[in-house]
Amino acid sequence: MSDIKTIGVLTSGGDAPGMNAAIRAVVRAGINDGLKVKGIHRGYMGLIEEEITDLDTMSVSDIIHRGGTILNTSRCKEMMTPEGQKLAADNCRKAGIDGIVVIGGDGSFRGAQRLSENGINTIAVPGTIDLDIACTEYTIGFDTAVNTAMEAIDKIRDTSASHERCSIIEVMGRTAGHIALWCGISNGSEYVMIPERYDGEEDKIIEKIMKKRKIGKKHHIIVNAEGIGDSMGLAERIEKATGVETRATVIGHMQRGGNPTCHDRVYASAMGAKAVDLLNEGKTNRVVAFKDGEFVDYDIDQALNMTKDVDEHLYDLVRRLSR
Ligand code: F6P
């Protein structure tokens, strides 16, 4: 057990649906355990600029179902410098914060490592729609984002089928293809393009469209990950090579918003509460994760050294089911 009395919570990096559920859990679990809780606004930026307010149970009322983050978020360059990191830790001490929960992606975890090194007990919670954090099978927001993308692609399929077109749909994921891959399967796409497996495969897509046309297929869904991009250019090239009218749609930031799914609300709540447990146990430099059916925690240094690939079985499934 620790002598922690006041904890802080912040969200950092890209927002993700479910972050509010995690904030609520940190606040309510903390207060329930006799702690004071402070909210740090605008991520690490707000820590450096001392935008810190007291939170009570009512501060987090009516937020579990809302997308975004009530604390706002930022990508903070200052937190990458030793001066910024020291100032952030000093500002925690000044505000009486002796433990902090950082909800964000692996960039945010690096900031959490530095806070920990600077003497503030810090626990990270994985929040990103990209599912690209190696130590965990679940990240806050992925489930909502992938459902949003899937529903958008369903709608595009209706118009694509009506016009007998090929549709390229670009989903989020600058370096990770998890959203694209899951949409590839759930939307019954013919092809999925992801940064982890990209090998300049345009010829294969064109060949597949021609083959499918021959057996009577009238419309085609290609899911492209943001990390590959150039969906408009790809559409032009496919149309030219196949003669099939082709349109590209970039779904964009709508994937980051919206009411979180039940899955995101429940898991984000469990992770937020676990982060408070870890602080109560006197732990620091840990990240909450979901692995093999359990909520667990890892050392952040260890977690950041882990690697993660897309599920080869799922990638293969897209190909098998779209023949
Ligand atoms: O990390 C989440 C994410 O939505 C990525 O999928 C995307 O590449 C990036 O953030 C977009 O960031 P921004 O909101 O700064 O445009």
Side-chain angles (χ1 to χ4, degrees), residues 191-206:
Y191 219 99
V192 60
M193 299 165 74
I194 55 174
E196 294 89 339
R197 295 287 184 281
Y198 185 63
D199 65 355
E201 52 216 321
E202 264 177 59
D203 289 349
K204 286 186 219 156
I205 298 174
I206 290 164

Side-chain angles (χ1 to χ4, degrees), residues 13-15 75 127-130 132 171-176 179 226-227 252-253 255-256:
D15 61 349
R75 301 189 202 274
T128 167
I129 65 163
D130 289 347
D132 61 346
V171 298
M172 271 191 161
R174 199 157 28 213
T175 55
I179 295 178
E226 177 191 357
H253 285 80
Q255 291 160 96
R256 286 243 296 268

Side-chain angles (χ1 to χ4, degrees), residues 44-197:
Y44 291 119
M45 205 63 230
L47 192 50
I48 287 171
E49 294 178 356
E50 297 181 83
E51 290 181 54
I52 303 170
T53 54
D54 292 337
L55 297 176
D56 60 26
T57 53
M58 286 314 288
S59 321
V60 291
S61 172
D62 199 29
I63 66 165
I64 193 165
H65 60 301
R66 295 190 197 284
T69 157
I70 59 156
L71 291 175
N72 299 113
T73 185
S74 63
R75 301 189 202 274
C76 176
K77 292 209 177 72
E78 287 81 344
M79 195 59 193
M80 292 172 188
T81 66
E83 299 73 33
Q85 293 151 12
K86 185 174 176 305
L87 183 57
D90 287 346
N91 287 344
C92 279
R93 280 183 277 271
K94 203 166 145 191
I97 294 172
D98 25 41
I100 191 162
V101 178
V102 170
I103 305 164
D106 52 11
S108 311
F109 291 5
R110 283 178 239 285
Q113 266 180 324
R114 302 288 94 81
L115 277 180
S116 189
E117 282 164 14
N118 278 279
I120 305 298
N121 283 9
T122 307
I123 306 296
V125 170
T128 167
I129 65 163
D130 289 347
L131 194 68
D132 61 346
I133 297 178
C135 68
T136 182
E137 291 157 13
Y138 167 81
T139 63
I140 295 172
F142 173 73
D143 189 60
T144 308
V146 80
N147 275 288
T148 300
M150 181 191 75
E151 284 168 18
I153 298 172
D154 281 347
K155 292 180 171 72
I156 292 166
R157 176 188 273 275
D158 288 344
T159 168
S160 189
S162 303
H163 285 264
E164 302 184 3
R165 282 175 174 158
C166 171
S167 292
I168 319 276
I169 300 101
E170 187 173 310
V171 298
M172 271 191 161
R174 199 157 28 213
T175 55
H178 301 283
I179 295 178
L181 184 53
W182 281 59
C183 286
I185 295 170
S186 63
N187 292 106
S189 81
E190 260 139 285
Y191 219 99
V192 60
M193 299 165 74
I194 55 174
E196 294 89 339
R197 295 287 184 281

